[in-house]
Amino acid sequence: MIFHINATMPEQKSGIEHAEIQRFMLFKKNHITQKLVLRDWDPECHRQTRAAGIDDDDLINMFDYFQKTTIVATQLLTVKDLDFGVTGLVFNDEPQNARYLVVDNNQMLVARVNYVNSEKQRVKSVELFDGFGNLYRVDHYDVRGFKSLQQWYTPDNKIESETWLDVHGQPVLESFFKTTKAVNHQSELTRTNWHLTFNDKSYDFDTIEDLTIHFLDAINQNFFSASEPNIFILDRSHLADYGLLHLKNPAYTVLHLHNSHAGEAQEPMQSILNNNYEFAMNALNQYDAVVSATPQQTRDIQLRFQPNVPLFTIPVGIVKDTLLHAKHVSVGQRQFGKIVAFARIAWEKHLDDLVRAVGIVKQEIPEVSLDLYGYADTTDNFRAKRAVEAVIDKYHLADSVTMRGYTTNIDAVENQAMIYGLTSRMEGFNLAIMEGIAHGLIALTYDVNYGPNEIVQDNINGRIVPYGDYRAMADAIITVLRDPELAQRYSEGAYQSAERYSETNVMAAWQKLIDDANQKWQHKIAATNLGR
Amino acid sequence: MNFFISENIFSFNSGTEHAQIKRTKLFNAFDDAAKYVTRNYNRLLDRDLKAVGLTPDVVLNMYDFFQGTTDVKRIEQNLRLLKMLPLDTYHIVADGPNQSFLKHNGRRIATITVMPETVGLVNEVIFEDRAGNPTIRENWDWRGFKSSVDTFHPDGSLATQRFLNLNGEVVLEITHMAINGIVQPTMWQLLNYQGHHYRFNSENELMTFFLNEIVKQYQEVTLISDRRTLDEPIGKVSGAKQKFAYFHDIHTPNVVQPRVGAPYPVYEMALSQKNQQFDAILVPTDAQQQDIQAVYPNLNVKTAPDTFISPTMLTQSQISFKDRVNHRILFLGRLSPEKNPEAAVQVLAVTRRYVNDATLEFMGYPANEEIVQKLRQLARDLRVESSVIFTPYGNYAAVSEALSRAQVIIETSHGEGFGMNLVEALAFGLPIVSCRINYTTTTHEIVENNSNGYVVPSESPNIMAQRVANILNNPSKWTNMSTASYQKAKFFSAEKMYKAWQQVFKN
């Protein structure tokens, strides 16, 4: 059994979730037994995973596991299904606030019922008041229509404990907030404890990480097989980079890097480690395998850490067979001068540099245009977006550069455009530029670690220009736009180079890891009392 | 069906509980089904009811009812055999006979306390966080099942109490929040009771609901409120054939002139004329009946006996003067101010002038430790310290022994609804020396002056002491008085009491 470990599967996915889902679908197509393992509680989890194409059967959420709610038939729960234990209630709908105010015949507030307007007033949460006006609890409902979490309040209105329930409403997992000396402000409450009742046993944990180890141990035992190992692929290190090293029973543990291991990706040998990977990099040899997405990163890790653990290079992007075999669109059929970029408008994406390059190009080739697809990062009051807007003003690009927001309509956009531009400060792989070449877009990128300088092959499917040199980027754009033959050659090269990320090639790369796991399994088993 | 209703059966019961216990036994002995019904949560109830000679089938507790645990046979649940503890993960480390710790790799994660009076049976499992704050406390019933689970506010006070059925499911939940800034229980919720939730703002609201539920289950139900704190919830019950409020005590602080005294506030609901929810007020003595009737002419007030002496006691062999501890005086009753126990020490001090080896035995649970200290100090001041014996309050057997070894019982109380301690003394042939008090000495029923003892003015320990000395120094007088007490005991027969109650129910 292969477990892909992540926190949640939100609607707005980052590259890690996209990569994970692509891998999941690839494995599914290849009939590999697997589960998506999500660690964090999320009442919308099953709606989101179903939307991502993952069956409930293929998903284990840690909270679901303990609540025994992995498989629950969805039913619509509305305010009339709730039982407040009080007679003579009046339900006042407040559509503008998406809630009902429930009052008794003395006009005392009994509850506020918050619902989802667009889903037939499906109940999301209920704020409950006692007969003396105290808010004592807020109940949160799972999207499938059962009460999942109760948050209990102190008399002075702070959350003091959380209780997760089974489908019958009985407590199974509780977490407590207490005052401790570890907190500077005495009045602040800290989560200090998790208490689990599972299969009639009681367990106590200090942290959710300890609880996670217990969970991983449990599924490792549930799916134990003497003939083949459970393979845990950790996609977000904070969830279990320690935990995977402390499982009771043997397993094959995989640290999957989705970003540069170095804090400064352009200085992979010296810079302080990416905080997310600092622990794992220091404990590298305790994992069974490390996966990075590009040969460059694998090489850099080898050079810097000289680990004993096998390093695997496996692309995190997969070009589906259907796309790979789609009809090629020639450059002549595309909109001349149309550049696109699919990225969050965020500091590390450095899109203002791409806009600068377009500004320079426009002075020579007025037809050039740039469409940016992706939601704006809110950090520092939309700092990145403001930087882009400043450059647009400076170069008078209001007619040429457009921020179009997030889209899923990639085929239509990329079959029309001509060039994919990338000027990031750092990357872990960059699925978007891979998608770009698979659609025959000419790829122009900074020489940035990791991914773009591997996906883009200089002078074959586009150009790699020096890191941070937007003038060079402008030159590369001008060169391509002025030479239709060159453009057609790069575009065809792009289509061809996407083959590297074909389902067959990526699966073959994973198969090497799976083979390694299988090969080592009998030795691991032999060193324990299991499997006898 | 008769339901006799009060708060609890305690380890140390007062006269109210004793009267209710005896009445429950009496009715059932005459095949007139009766249950002792209690409101308070008491997970040691099975132990306590057996200690007072009741059987579980004649006791019904509200929490047990909702938890579905009214009929559970006791098992002895050793703390080391708790199935909930994963002993491949945690260690149980003993810390003396009263508690053990649950440890994870050396760190304490829970304290397991031992059930009182047992060896190693589980009482509570109190989990704590890494800073030692209690998180969850699980409470076991005497009968060996997990009965309730408590959680705590950050300041350590109770936050929720969850009551479980035998499957461990929460069926009733109490929430503690603030009313006017003071944290207290604010909500009782029945969860999924016959398919529905019910929310109550007080324990008594829940009590009314509970009583309505049990009244439905039987034909011709009689309810008797034995505690004034329960008059309100019992008053609201509908569907009972008849309802009574039984006054075990004097209803007014003015014990000397009850007709001019205002009633205690807790009696007001039952005595209220306009809000008559009881068919009658029942009192132990005719004197109290007349006093109340005089003040509340529209109220239906009747006399119904408070106690009886069991047939076995009536037929036991008599104990002679010399088979008792020589010159032993007994004080039997709660050690609290209204019982005036200091007077007993003063009586002893004076008595010893005439009977130099007289001793005084206190038997009764102290209302607080301060009272015992005061009594000891008084005994020291009066130089009778070594002649005063404090016997811990005990069960019926222990009480019987105290009554068997004494030669005289004294009653120093300012007032008694009906002195049950003295009725018991009659069964053991004790001469009685009592102050003149309502409503115990208003008739000759218990004490007849100069026959089976003496009635003296309440303000005079000197006179009381002289009477005591007079009895102790005259074995032949003692024998006459003892015989008279044995004779009087026969008037308190079970048949007589049951017939009197039947009469009350009939009218």
Side-chain angles (χ1 to χ4, degrees):
Chain A
M1 180 66 72
I2 293 181
F3 299 107
H4 313 271
I5 306 173
N6 205 336
T8 59
M9 190 54 67
E11 255 155 325
Q12 296 197 334
K13 296 172 185 61
S14 77
I16 295 178
E17 284 74 36
H18 285 297
E20 195 174 44
I21 288 175
Q22 290 193 13
R23 183 201 318 145
F24 190 90
M25 294 306 167
L26 177 68
F27 282 17
K28 191 168 184 174
K29 199 169 175 182
N30 284 276
H31 307 292
I32 289 171
T33 55
Q34 60 175 347
K35 300 274 185 190
L36 175 63
V37 174
L38 297 180
R39 203 282 301 274
D40 290 352
W41 177 75
D42 182 351
E44 305 290 320
C45 174
H46 285 256
R47 183 174 56 75
Q48 292 160 350
T49 48
R50 287 169 188 173
I54 291 156
D55 298 338
D56 288 358
D57 228 0
D58 291 335
L59 167 71
I60 305 179
N61 174 277
M62 179 175 81
F63 287 80
D64 273 340
Y65 181 82
F66 292 133
Q67 292 175 269
K68 298 194 193 291
T69 53
T70 296
I71 305 287
V72 174
T74 300
Q75 52 184 10
L76 178 67
L77 185 110
T78 63
V79 66
K80 66 178 190 312
D81 300 314
L82 302 174
D83 185 353
F84 297 98
V86 181
T87 53
L89 292 178
V90 177
F91 296 82
N92 298 318
D93 195 0
E94 285 190 349
Q96 70 281 13
N97 295 322
R99 70 183 185 188
Y100 281 93
L101 297 184
V102 184
V103 296
D104 68 10
N105 42 26
N106 297 320
Q107 294 303 307
M108 282 284 284
L109 185 62
V110 171
R112 283 197 283 255
V113 179
N114 303 301
Y115 58 74
V116 184
N117 233 334
S118 57
E119 295 177 47
K120 298 177 181 167
Q121 299 195 335
R122 167 171 71 84
V123 173
K124 251 177 101 72
S125 64
V126 180
E127 300 159 62
L128 291 161
F129 297 82
D130 67 14
F132 302 89
N134 297 297
L135 171 72
Y136 67 92
R137 202 174 76 205
V138 178
D139 291 347
H140 297 267
Y141 286 78
D142 190 273
V143 69
R144 290 166 290 170
F146 61 89
K147 193 192 295 181
S148 180
L149 168 65
Q150 300 174 320
Q151 290 179 311
W152 298 86
Y153 279 74
T154 61
D156 58 350
N157 221 33
K158 294 171 188 145
I159 294 172
E160 67 177 10
S161 66
E162 296 183 324
T163 307
W164 282 267
L165 309 170
D166 68 14
V167 77
H168 306 293
Q170 296 303 320
V172 291
L173 177 63
E174 300 198 65
S175 184
F176 299 92
F177 297 77
K178 300 287 183 186
T179 310
T180 75
K181 290 205 166 178
V183 180
N184 291 331
H185 307 287
Q186 280 291 303
S187 59
E188 250 178 61
L189 296 178
T190 316
R191 194 193 290 275
T192 61
N193 185 261
W194 293 81
H195 187 85
L196 173 69
T197 306
F198 192 67
N199 291 343
D200 297 328
K201 299 271 189 235
S202 292
Y203 297 92
D204 231 39
F205 306 99
D206 287 346
T207 59
I208 194 171
E209 286 78 8
D210 276 348
L211 175 64
T212 306
I213 294 176
H214 186 77
F215 163 62
L216 295 174
D217 272 333
I219 59 173
N220 195 26
Q221 284 173 25
N222 292 158
F223 293 96
F224 175 80
S225 157
S227 57
E228 58 173 40
N230 290 325
I231 300 175
F232 288 90
I233 302 170
L234 183 62
D235 282 314
R236 283 194 184 271
S237 56
H238 76 276
L239 297 169
D241 53 4
Y242 174 91
L244 280 185
L245 307 181
H246 295 85
L247 296 180
K248 272 190 192 143
N249 289 346
Y252 187 86
T253 59
V254 181
L255 173 71
H256 197 313
L257 298 167
H258 284 275
N259 267 308
S260 168
H261 56 282
E264 301 282 345
Q266 298 304 108
E267 290 184 44
M269 297 305 288
Q270 284 87 31
S271 63
I272 285 179
L273 293 170
N274 178 342
N275 295 353
N276 290 326
Y277 296 127
E278 187 174 62
F279 172 87
M281 287 295 127
N282 279 284
L284 214 49
N285 285 332
Q286 296 179 54
Y287 300 96
D288 291 303
V290 175
V291 171
S292 60
T294 61
Q296 286 89 340
Q297 190 173 9
T298 301
R299 179 202 62 209
D300 288 347
I301 291 169
Q302 183 63 50
L303 281 172
R304 182 162 175 177
F305 301 99
Q306 301 182 353
N308 300 326
V309 58
L311 307 178
F312 292 86
T313 303
I314 307 175
V316 291
I318 301 164
V319 177
K320 283 189 185 157
D321 287 350
T322 47
L323 179 58
L324 204 61
H325 301 131
K327 197 163 168 277
H328 293 189
V329 181
S330 70
V331 171
Q333 292 170 281
R334 295 168 181 269
Q335 184 183 340
F336 179 74
K338 173 65 77 185
I339 305 169
V340 294
F342 286 73
R344 274 179 310 118
I345 300 171
W347 179 84
E348 63 269 26
K349 299 296 181 186
H350 210 180
L351 288 163
D352 47 322
D353 255 16
L354 185 58
V355 178
R356 271 186 199 93
V358 169
I360 293 169
V361 172
K362 197 181 175 187
Q363 291 161 12
E364 310 256 335
I365 305 172
E367 299 97 316
V368 73
S369 65
L370 171 64
D371 289 343
L372 300 176
Y373 293 92
Y375 47 85
D377 190 291
T378 58
T379 307
D380 290 342
N381 192 24
F382 296 97
R383 176 179 159 200
K385 189 183 176 197
R386 286 187 285 116
V388 167
E389 286 165 346
V391 178
I392 289 172
D393 283 352
K394 185 180 171 192
Y395 288 87
H396 308 294
L397 295 170
D399 295 337
S400 309
V401 176
T402 316
M403 284 185 270
R404 296 193 178 274
Y406 185 79
T407 183
T408 51
N409 202 8
I410 293 167
D411 286 348
V413 171
E414 296 202 335
N415 285 335
Q416 288 259 324
M418 197 174 157
I419 292 170
Y420 192 101
L422 192 150
T423 52
S424 294
R425 288 187 165 89
M426 61 191 290
E427 285 295 343
F429 181 75
N430 201 307
L431 292 167
I433 199 164
M434 183 205 73
E435 287 275 329
I437 61 166
H439 284 87
L441 291 178
I442 299 158
L444 304 177
T445 183
Y446 280 173
D447 186 4
V448 56
N449 285 339
Y450 290 102
N453 53 6
E454 151 70 11
I455 296 164
V456 182
Q457 295 168 294
D458 195 28
N459 219 11
I460 292 174
N461 59 2
R463 294 300 312 276
I464 301 173
V465 303
Y467 180 83
D469 188 346
Y470 59 86
R471 292 178 198 283
M473 173 61 75
D475 287 346
I477 297 170
I478 291 168
T479 305
V480 168
L481 292 183
R482 283 188 171 155
D483 186 345
E485 261 180 51
L486 180 66
Q488 184 56 43
R489 177 161 71 81
Y490 283 165
S491 175
E492 196 48 39
Y495 278 124
Q496 299 297 337
S497 66
E499 177 70 30
R500 291 172 294 163
Y501 310 111
S502 69
E503 296 178 10
T504 311
N505 282 338
V506 175
M507 194 61 233
W510 275 109
Q511 194 57 52
K512 279 187 195 162
L513 182 144
I514 294 168
D515 290 345
D516 184 59
N518 285 331
Q519 191 201 326
K520 287 173 178 166
W521 184 237
Q522 289 316 316
H523 302 288
K524 283 200 174 217
I525 281 279
T528 72
N529 292 322
L530 299 160
R532 289 186 182 171
Chain B
M1 172 58 72
N2 301 284
F3 289 125
F4 306 149
I5 308 159
S6 65
E7 291 169 356
N8 206 349
I9 297 171
F10 302 93
S11 310
F12 302 136
N13 292 291
S14 75
T16 299
E17 286 78 28
H18 284 302
Q20 200 184 325
I21 291 160
K22 295 197 88 165
R23 193 195 313 133
T24 306
K25 289 177 183 170
L26 177 79
F27 273 61
N28 284 303
F30 284 89
D31 287 331
D32 191 354
K35 282 185 195 284
Y36 189 123
V37 178
T38 64
R39 180 194 63 187
N40 294 7
Y41 178 60
N42 177 5
R43 57 194 174 83
L44 304 183
L45 184 62
D46 189 61
R47 178 198 66 173
D48 294 339
L49 69 89
K50 284 170 183 161
V52 297
L54 292 172
T55 51
D57 58 310
V58 300
V59 176
L60 178 59
N61 171 262
M62 175 171 79
Y63 287 84
D64 270 334
F65 175 81
F66 290 121
Q67 291 177 260
T69 51
T70 52
D71 185 21
V72 180
K73 219 172 132 45
R74 185 178 185 223
I75 55 157
E76 298 197 337
Q77 178 59 59
N78 192 289
L79 67 89
R80 286 186 182 271
L81 300 175
L82 282 171
K83 289 196 183 76
M84 60 173 268
L85 300 180
L87 295 183
D88 62 347
T89 307
Y90 304 134
H91 293 76
I92 298 172
V93 182
D95 180 54
N98 297 327
Q99 63 180 15
S100 293
F101 298 132
L102 191 65
K103 291 193 170 181
H104 181 217
N105 198 27
R107 182 163 79 69
R108 192 173 76 195
I109 60 166
T111 300
I112 309 173
T113 61
V114 175
M115 191 65 91
E117 304 155 35
T118 73
V119 178
L121 303 189
V122 62
N123 180 31
E124 308 151 306
V125 181
I126 309 158
F127 288 93
E128 62 189 58
D129 72 2
R130 59 184 182 263
N133 299 297
T135 55
I136 281 186
R137 178 172 62 203
E138 303 182 323
N139 306 300
W140 261 257
D141 191 276
W142 178 257
R143 292 166 288 176
F145 61 88
K146 194 193 293 179
S147 172
S148 67
V149 178
D150 303 328
T151 65
F152 303 90
H153 289 310
D155 67 359
S157 65
L158 267 178
T160 65
Q161 296 169 270
R162 302 169 188 159
F163 301 90
L164 313 178
N165 64 18
L166 284 179
N167 296 328
E169 295 159 343
V170 185
V171 294
L172 173 60
E173 198 162 66
I174 302 178
T175 307
H176 296 245
M177 291 297 280
I179 304 174
N180 299 326
I182 294 167
V183 176
Q184 55 193 289
T186 60
M187 190 171 49
W188 285 254
Q189 286 197 92
L190 277 180
L191 304 176
N192 204 17
Y193 175 73
Q194 298 182 355
H196 295 283
H197 293 346
Y198 297 89
R199 198 187 89 170
F200 305 96
N201 287 338
S202 71
E203 193 175 32
N204 277 348
E205 279 185 18
L206 175 63
M207 182 71 175
T208 301
F209 180 88
F210 157 64
L211 293 172
N212 279 331
E213 289 299 295
I214 60 171
V215 163
K216 270 190 236 164
Q217 296 181 358
Y218 297 93
Q219 302 284 314
E220 306 216 327
V221 174
T222 297
L223 301 181
I224 295 179
S225 173
D226 278 300
R227 276 265 176 217
R228 299 292 67 75
T229 46
L230 294 173
D231 286 343
E232 189 221 335
I234 295 168
K236 288 178 181 162
V237 174
S238 55
K241 184 189 168 206
Q242 49 189 354
K243 290 192 277 186
F244 302 101
Y246 194 99
F247 291 4
H248 294 272
D249 291 309
I250 305 179
H251 54 283
T252 168
N254 193 340
V255 296
V256 182
Q257 289 179 284
R259 291 190 192 197
V260 298
Y264 287 108
V266 288
Y267 283 77
E268 280 167 6
M269 195 250 140
L271 292 171
S272 152
Q273 299 281 0
K274 61 174 183 200
N275 207 359
Q276 244 184 58
Q277 284 164 316
F278 292 100
D279 295 278
I281 304 294
L282 307 182
V283 296
T285 61
D286 290 337
Q288 189 175 8
Q289 189 273 335
Q290 287 152 14
D291 281 349
I292 294 175
Q293 196 73 78
V295 182
Y296 304 93
N298 297 327
L299 215 55
N300 191 14
V301 189
K302 296 182 186 180
T303 307
D306 207 6
T307 189
F308 69 98
I309 298 170
S310 69
T312 46
M313 266 198 197
L314 285 177
T315 53
Q316 70 190 351
S317 57
Q318 301 190 353
I319 307 163
S320 67
F321 189 75
K322 62 174 173 30
D323 286 338
R324 298 169 184 259
V325 176
N326 203 31
H327 301 160
R328 167 63 53 83
I329 304 162
L330 177 65
F331 176 102
L332 179 62
R334 192 170 63 247
L335 306 184
S336 63
E338 75 275 11
K339 305 279 184 191
N340 197 16
E342 289 94 338
V345 180
Q346 289 162 348
V347 168
L348 173 70
V350 179
T351 302
R352 283 174 64 86
R353 291 185 207 152
Y354 312 103
V355 188
N356 61 12
D357 60 349
T359 53
L360 170 67
E361 177 175 358
F362 280 110
M363 184 181 237
Y365 69 91
N368 53 58
E369 195 45 42
E370 200 188 338
I371 284 181
V372 178
Q373 294 310 321
K374 270 187 177 170
L375 290 172
R376 285 190 195 283
Q377 186 56 49
L378 180 62
R380 269 195 294 278
D381 294 345
L382 299 176
R383 298 187 183 166
V384 293
E385 190 187 357
S386 58
S387 306
V388 178
I389 300 143
F390 291 90
T391 307
Y393 179 79
N395 56 19
Y396 284 149
V399 172
S400 297
E401 280 173 32
L403 289 162
S404 303
R405 63 180 167 249
Q407 290 183 327
V408 169
I409 187 165
I410 55 173
E411 175 63 83
T412 56
S413 184
H414 298 304
E416 288 289 331
F418 194 70
M420 285 181 62
N421 53 340
L422 300 187
V423 176
E424 282 175 38
L426 295 179
F428 288 83
L430 277 176
I432 298 167
V433 179
S434 173
C435 300
R436 182 172 292 120
I437 52 165
N438 276 328
Y439 288 103
T440 296
T441 61
T442 36
T443 67
H444 295 161
E445 214 176 346
I446 300 175
V447 204
E448 192 172 351
N449 197 32
N450 220 5
S451 166
N452 69 327
Y454 295 107
V455 179
V456 302
S458 57
E459 63 275 14
S460 180
N462 279 337
I463 298 175
M464 194 177 236
Q466 284 166 21
R467 298 288 186 270
V468 170
N470 184 268
I471 298 170
L472 293 180
N473 280 333
N474 291 289
S476 61
K477 175 169 264 180
W478 183 91
T479 303
N480 290 339
M481 286 189 162
S482 175
T483 305
S485 281
Y486 279 124
Q487 285 302 320
K488 276 200 179 295
K490 290 176 186 163
F491 289 100
F492 294 92
S493 72
E495 288 86 356
K496 195 178 158 199
M497 173 163 166
Y498 184 66
K499 270 182 198 152
W501 275 86
Q502 292 233 290
Q503 206 60 36
V504 166
F505 284 175
K506 219 176 274 176
N507 298 332

